[in-house]
Amino acid sequence: GLTEALFLKHKDIYVECERASMRQLYKAKMEELLAEGQQVPISVQVVTEFVSWNEEAISRCILFSHQPANLAANAKAVFTCLLHQVRQYTTEGLERAREGLREAASQRERFMLGRKVASGVASMVEGAATAGENSFRSFMLALQGCGSSVAIIQQYFVKSISRLLLPVDGAHAATCEEMTAAMSSAESSACKGLQQCIDIVIAEVERLLSAEQKVTDFKSPDDGLMADPRPTIACTRVVAYLSRVLESAFTALEGLNKQSFLAELGNRLHKILTNHWLKFAFNASGGLKLKRDITEYGDFLRNFNAPTIDEKFESLSIMANIFIVAPESLSSLIEGTPSIKKEAQRFVQLRDDYRSARLASKLSSVWA
């Protein structure tokens, strides 16, 4: 036809013109976003615009490519250009969000000496903690945008591209592999960023525990078993922080990413809480208070849907009984609960009557 006659001599280089045009559009869009100072790391609206450019290019491919094999090759080339655009956009967006996490961690470190707050900078540390929360949320928002972008590309491929590739053996499978490869760099940034998010959370939990937990929380001068039923202030603040900061993670993450993130975070929380409690001495009322705190933490962590984490906190709750029971009941408690026996020796030494009640000799047969 007339179209074919007019463009015949350009057909061999036509697809490169399309690719060059889309690269120019991408460059112009990035410059526009930079000039606007866009705050959203990854915008679904922007990715949708990439797809609209691609749809227009594909419509021209259909017009200019009369042979199915030629159409498949051109469609693949044009779609691959979209993959490169989305890969670059999402990876750079995640990296910008990761930079926010790095800056927040660096800001926190500047105002901490070991695990103690440097004198006169408490308000700055609080500011660094807020920066950590904000960077956490920004990264989760970027991750959510990345996931939505991938879904848009996959839907577009199934709806508009897949059928064009079928006439050429292997073209469909090869393009699927290219989609996977294109997203691998974003996946790498996502995994690194999630680890940074965990580090941000753990650092803040450690700070709150160090700042808020008091010796008298677990060794009250008034050692009566009619203790205050509320959790300690440190526990309340930590759980409030976790509830607040993780809200964005519950929204942004899904599937295996969510499962592995929460499992890793849950294990890290269990470890730092256990090590934290090992720094204190406990009387009976302190044991009850510890048990109350463990219940509070455990109730929150059940939102993680991680049975192994739940089991660890259930074991800790049983372990807290070591501080509550009378000295003569310790042997039966420890021997009757195999799940705590391994750690019980460290914990029993934290009883305030460990020396006066000569528990080392009384329990020697338990550890034999």
Side-chain angles (χ1 to χ4, degrees):
L2 179 60
T3 300
E4 187 171 2
L6 287 171
F7 291 97
L8 184 61
K9 64 180 181 179
H10 302 293
K11 285 173 68 177
D12 291 341
I13 63 167
Y14 155 71
V15 74
E16 287 307 316
C17 295
E18 287 286 12
R19 288 160 64 91
S21 173
M22 283 188 289
R23 284 193 291 268
Q24 289 175 345
L25 286 168
Y26 180 85
K27 182 182 178 183
K29 186 64 182 179
M30 294 304 103
E31 290 172 351
E32 176 190 328
L33 294 175
L34 185 63
E36 292 175 354
Q38 189 181 39
Q39 298 300 310
V40 179
I42 299 174
S43 166
V44 171
Q45 184 178 354
V46 171
V47 173
T48 302
E49 193 169 347
F50 297 164
V51 172
S52 70
W53 303 338
N54 209 262
E55 286 176 323
E56 291 174 9
I58 290 293
S59 68
R60 289 189 290 270
C61 280
I62 294 171
L63 181 63
F64 298 146
S65 309
H66 293 286
Q67 298 300 319
N70 186 240
L71 174 58
N74 287 343
K76 183 176 182 296
V78 169
F79 180 70
T80 300
C81 188
L82 172 64
L83 292 180
H84 292 164
Q85 290 174 341
V86 174
R87 177 183 63 186
Q88 183 174 347
Y89 178 66
T90 54
T91 302
E92 289 179 356
L94 288 172
E95 285 301 315
R96 284 195 301 275
R98 284 188 64 209
E99 183 58 34
L101 292 168
R102 282 191 288 268
E103 288 175 2
S106 176
Q107 185 179 347
R108 178 185 178 277
E109 289 301 318
R110 282 200 299 272
F111 303 121
M112 300 292 285
L113 298 174
R115 293 190 179 180
K116 298 294 183 183
V117 179
S119 60
V121 295
S123 62
M124 295 180 182
V125 172
E126 290 289 347
T130 300
E133 283 192 48
N134 291 338
S135 66
F136 183 101
R137 290 193 188 93
S138 292
F139 182 81
M140 289 299 170
L141 187 63
L143 201 59
Q144 191 172 12
C146 183
S148 298
S149 299
V150 171
I152 288 169
I153 299 306
Q154 290 172 334
Q155 290 167 7
Y156 171 59
F157 175 76
V158 170
K159 178 184 174 183
S160 303
I161 305 299
S162 178
R163 59 186 172 80
L164 303 179
L165 304 177
L166 294 178
V168 176
D169 287 344
H172 186 279
T175 307
C176 288
E177 288 179 8
E178 287 192 39
M179 272 200 292
T180 301
M183 299 309 151
S184 63
S185 61
E187 287 176 6
S188 176
S189 292
C191 289
K192 291 173 184 175
L194 286 172
Q195 191 59 55
Q196 288 174 267
C197 285
I198 290 174
D199 292 341
I200 286 274
V201 171
I202 293 299
E204 179 60 9
V205 169
E206 287 182 322
R207 185 188 74 82
L208 289 171
L209 290 172
S210 177
E212 301 293 344
Q213 200 84 74
K214 304 294 186 280
V215 172
T216 52
D217 286 343
F218 302 125
K219 193 179 177 183
S220 170
D222 179 21
D223 186 19
L225 291 181
M226 295 299 290
D228 184 347
R230 296 172 297 180
T232 64
I233 292 173
C235 173
T236 300
R237 286 207 62 188
V238 167
V239 171
Y241 165 73
L242 291 172
S243 300
R244 191 170 63 244
V245 77
L246 291 179
E247 184 178 355
S248 59
F250 284 120
T251 302
L253 297 174
E254 56 186 23
L256 290 176
N257 279 339
K258 184 175 185 178
Q259 185 179 334
S260 59
F261 175 81
L262 294 176
E264 170 71 9
L265 179 58
N267 280 317
R268 292 274 299 274
L269 287 169
H270 173 266
K271 183 177 180 179
I272 65 166
L273 285 168
T274 301
N275 290 336
H276 169 71
W277 290 322
L278 286 169
K279 300 171 187 173
F280 293 87
F282 296 81
N283 55 22
S285 62
L288 287 171
K289 183 64 75 172
L290 173 63
K291 201 172 179 72
R292 180 67 184 86
D293 277 9
I294 292 169
T295 298
E296 193 77 5
Y297 289 121
D299 286 348
F300 174 76
L301 291 170
R302 267 194 280 277
N303 295 316
F304 287 19
N305 291 319
T308 56
I309 306 301
D310 295 341
E311 289 170 10
K312 287 184 176 184
F313 277 83
E314 286 165 9
S315 291
L316 281 174
S317 185
I318 296 169
M319 185 79 74
N321 292 328
I322 283 176
F323 306 121
I324 300 169
V325 301
E328 57 270 19
S329 301
L330 280 169
S331 293
S332 58
L333 170 64
I334 295 167
E335 291 181 323
T337 320
S339 63
I340 70 168
K341 189 172 182 179
K342 183 179 178 182
E343 293 290 327
Q345 191 168 9
R346 287 199 299 169
F347 277 84
V348 78
Q349 294 177 39
L350 305 177
R351 282 181 62 120
D352 68 337
D353 62 353
Y354 181 73
R355 293 184 184 279
S356 62
R358 298 180 179 178
L359 295 179
S361 59
K362 289 180 180 178
L363 296 173
S364 58
S365 61
V366 174
W367 319 121

